[in-house]
């Protein structure tokens, strides 16, 4: 079964920019994203937000290996991430967090279109990439930083033609 997967750690905020997060951590993100940029009318269902990400899209690695790669880059800044989370989320009257941290796992099963582009190993060299686990170090990092784990899995199997 073709599988395309990647992992990222994201910090997102409606109050601070991705550049401010970069400056505070001293780590350049792999990706940033602006949701509903300033200047556009704010839609309450999709409010302005900036997202700062460290990503691993390395093909052929298991999810736990991708997580280890991402967290390996972030682990030296664990205390600083925790400080930022406290700093931006300390106001008791706030209804929503000022800074949100998450470890995201994204997996596409039966993704034939991505299969050719990802550099997946040849059939004889393939490993089982379906199972994965969080080790104690990953769990400790999530706990220390106040991050949550989000796993998105999509079945990309084409629907059978309807008669």
């Amino acid at each position: 079964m073709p599988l395309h997967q990647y992992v990222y750690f994201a910090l997102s905020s409606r109050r601070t920019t991705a550049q401010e997060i970069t400056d505070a951590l001293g780590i350049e993100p792999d990706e940033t994203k602006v949701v509903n940029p300033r200047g556009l009318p704010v839609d309450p269902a999709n409010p302005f937000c900036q997202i700062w990400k460290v990503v691993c899209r390395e093909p052929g690695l298991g999810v736990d290996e991708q997580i280890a790669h991402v967290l390996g880059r972030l682990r030296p800044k664990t205390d600083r991430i925790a400080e930022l989370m406290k700093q931006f989320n300390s106001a008791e009257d706030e209804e929503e967090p000022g800074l949100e941290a998450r470890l995201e796992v994204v997996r596409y099963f039966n993704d034939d279109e991505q299969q050719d582009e990802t550099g997946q190993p040849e059939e004889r060299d393939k490993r089982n990439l379906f199972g994965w686990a969080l080790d104690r170090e990953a769990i400790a990092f999530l706990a220390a930083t106040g991050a949550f784990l989000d796993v998105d899995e999509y079945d990309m199997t084409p629907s059978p033609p309807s008669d």
Side-chain angles (χ1 to χ4, degrees):
M1 171 187 312
L3 172 66
H4 172 71
Q5 59 192 12
Y6 62 96
V7 168
Y8 65 87
F9 179 82
L11 293 170
S12 56
S13 178
R14 292 185 60 198
R15 296 188 208 139
T16 189
T17 67
Q19 184 59 54
E20 290 169 329
I21 294 170
T22 299
D23 294 343
L25 292 180
I27 299 174
E28 286 294 324
D30 296 318
E31 299 174 10
T32 60
K33 180 178 179 181
V34 177
V35 178
N36 195 5
R38 298 175 207 253
L40 294 178
V42 174
D43 174 2
N46 190 16
F48 163 78
C49 181
Q50 289 207 22
I51 305 169
W52 178 100
K53 296 180 184 180
V54 172
V55 184
C56 181
R57 297 179 189 277
E58 184 75 27
L61 294 181
V63 168
D64 42 2
E65 294 168 308
Q66 290 177 330
I67 290 170
H69 178 79
V70 167
L71 298 187
R73 289 181 53 198
L74 296 169
R75 213 167 262 114
K77 300 293 184 173
T78 302
D79 292 341
R80 185 65 183 128
I81 295 169
E83 287 172 25
L84 286 176
M85 292 293 288
K86 285 179 187 170
Q87 175 185 339
F88 283 98
N89 298 318
S90 62
E92 293 177 16
D93 61 340
E94 298 292 335
E95 291 182 18
E96 62 185 55
L99 186 64
E100 185 175 87
R102 76 178 177 278
L103 180 63
E104 185 85 30
V105 175
V106 183
R107 298 166 46 118
Y108 296 92
F109 299 95
N110 295 306
D111 193 2
D112 290 323
E113 290 181 22
Q114 286 290 328
Q115 187 69 16
D116 296 334
E117 300 171 16
T118 61
Q120 293 286 334
E122 294 293 324
E123 192 66 39
R124 66 184 184 286
D125 298 330
K126 282 192 177 180
R127 302 173 25 215
N128 181 354
L129 299 178
F130 295 107
W132 60 279
L134 288 178
D135 62 21
R136 286 186 175 107
E137 288 181 15
I139 293 170
F141 176 86
L142 295 175
T145 60
F148 66 90
L149 173 66
D150 184 22
V151 179
D152 294 340
E153 297 185 331
Y154 305 97
D155 182 356
M156 305 303 286
T157 304
S159 299
S162 38
D163 296 329

